[in-house]
Amino acid sequence: MAWNSDKTIIVTGGAGFIGSNFIFYLRKKYPDIRIVCPDKLTYAGNMTTVAPLLNDDKFRFVRLDICDRKGVYELFDEEKPDIVVNFAAESHVDRSIDSPEVFLQTNITGTSVLMDACREYGNVRFHQISTDEVYGDLPLDRPDMLFTEETPLDPSSPYSSSKASADLLAMAYYRTYGLPVTVSRCSNNYGPYQFPEKLIPLMIVNALNNKSLPVYGEGLNIRDWLYVEDHCRAVDLILQKGRVGEVYNIGGNTEMKNIDIVKLICKALGRSEELIVHVEDRKGHDKRYAIDHSKLSSELGWKPLTDFGKGIKNTIEWYVEHREWWEPVISGEYQRYYEKMYGERT
Ligand code: NAD
Ligand code: TYD
């Protein structure tokens, strides 16, 4: 199915990692649609990521906090969107352990403000980007167990609790107001433009700078890795063909131990594994995430297309070739964050 020039889509949080990849994906696939990107530009939002789009008259960037009801309503009034996809969030577990409040504000209140605006301006189609972390975690010794959409919500961190709350609100808006809502819960994304506080880009950037590679605990925790482009394709399909009122899991079929990823990055960059240091574990550290995405596959015909070997190679090459993107990002405020998070841990 194709969207044409009369469609307007609001992509919140589009100056962040997945939102920006989604905007690039949309622009390429649907050259005529209008894309509007409200983003607060927190530490995680980066104008240089979206800068190449600023000359495009079918793209508009607005610096806006999704909790700002007046500003959000004004934007809806001006743009009359057909679809809203909400990527805007505080997204890092470690920061949520340190300071939960902003997570509740943005991830819960902000989502409800957006959905109120959707109700107010013509029952606009709303898609909430959620996470597999809302299901809590799985044991390391039960590879047969996977998260399905029926797995009870059991979040562990302030981050995942705030995301679970937003999911519940989205479903409540569907049931109570008939708002056409879908929710997707994806596993750990990786790819270009990811802020280097998350495992993969942090390890690549540190290795490139010959800095130590801080692995929490033994590094035996398992994540399922999803290449960001595969995620974008899944969201597109859900917007086109998904059933409203439904939740869809999105996974990469790639379970990896953290330590194995870090070793792989060392090898790819020709760095010694002696850079690896085992640091104090994360509080309440989720052991394993693993996704059953058979609902999305059987209903909408989606499957991940990028195998991890290819995806991680692309990602490493991107960081090698885009120092000008991440060097400014890791100066200043990020350095203070890094000292605070890792200085006391070793
Ligand atoms: P990110 O931290 O890279 O980007 C978040 C973006 O949201 C930034 O541009 C930031 O400026 C913006 N933002 C934050 N608060 C805002 C506010 N109040 N108003 C407007 N904009 C605001 O995050 P990401 O990794 O791209 O994640 C995007 C979404 O995907 C999030 O909802 C996250 O929970 C979800 N998710 C991410 C992953 C992952 O592996 N990265 C996995 C599962 C789910
Ligand atoms: P992260 O990228 O923060 O994603 P999430 O916690 O949402 O899964 O972390 C991925 C895994 O890597 C998680 O088990 C924590 C671990 N980790 C480290 O070992 N060291 C680090 O410096 C970071 C940021 C994460």
Side-chain angles (χ1 to χ4, degrees), residues 6-19:
D6 52 19
K7 279 265 183 276
T8 296
I9 179 163
I10 289 186
V11 180
T12 70
F17 165 46
I18 310 176

Side-chain angles (χ1 to χ4, degrees), residues 82-184:
D82 301 287
I83 301 163
V84 175
V85 185
N86 182 29
F87 289 93
E90 287 292 334
S91 67
H92 191 37
V93 173
D94 293 319
R95 287 184 191 252
S96 83
I97 293 169
D98 192 52
S99 331
E101 196 177 342
V102 66
F103 286 73
L104 313 187
Q105 276 299 324
T106 289
N107 298 0
I108 307 175
T109 305
T111 303
S112 77
V113 168
L114 288 172
M115 290 193 295
D116 284 340
C118 286
R119 289 170 55 212
E120 193 71 26
Y121 290 89
N123 220 29
V124 176
R125 175 83 165 80
F126 181 81
H127 183 74
Q128 173 67 1
I129 303 292
S130 185
T131 168
D132 60 359
E133 301 191 28
V134 299
Y135 299 120
D137 67 351
L138 296 164
L140 289 173
D141 59 355
R142 289 290 306 274
D144 56 310
M145 288 176 75
L146 302 171
F147 296 135
T148 73
E149 291 82 357
E150 308 305 319
T151 303
L153 302 187
D154 187 18
S156 323
S157 69
Y159 162 68
S160 50
S161 312
S162 68
K163 295 295 289 185
S165 306
D167 288 14
L168 295 177
L169 268 179
M171 285 306 147
Y173 273 61
Y174 170 69
R175 169 93 188 245
T176 309
Y177 306 114
L179 191 72
V181 165
T182 41
V183 173
S184 56

Side-chain angles (χ1 to χ4, degrees), residues 264-284:
L264 191 154
I265 291 170
C266 287
K267 190 160 178 231
L269 290 172
R271 298 297 191 269
S272 162
E273 288 181 13
E274 284 175 14
L275 283 176
I276 297 174
V277 283
H278 290 272
V279 300
E280 188 190 327
D281 212 347
R282 176 184 279 171
K283 290 187 181 69

Side-chain angles (χ1 to χ4, degrees), residues 13 15-19 38-42 44-45 64-67 86-91 106 129-131 159 163 186-189 194 198:
F17 165 46
I18 310 176
D39 192 301
K40 185 181 174 183
L41 294 180
T42 65
L64 181 66
D65 184 339
I66 58 166
C67 302
N86 182 29
F87 289 93
E90 287 292 334
S91 67
T106 289
I129 303 292
S130 185
T131 168
Y159 162 68
K163 295 295 289 185
C186 63
S187 55
N188 288 57
N189 283 222
Q194 187 168 30
K198 306 281 168 59

Side-chain angles (χ1 to χ4, degrees), residues 92 133 188 197-199 214-216 223 258 282 285 342:
H92 191 37
E133 301 191 28
N188 288 57
E197 65 185 350
K198 306 281 168 59
L199 179 76
V215 171
Y216 299 166
R223 299 293 183 260
N258 295 339
R282 176 184 279 171
H285 197 170
Y342 295 93

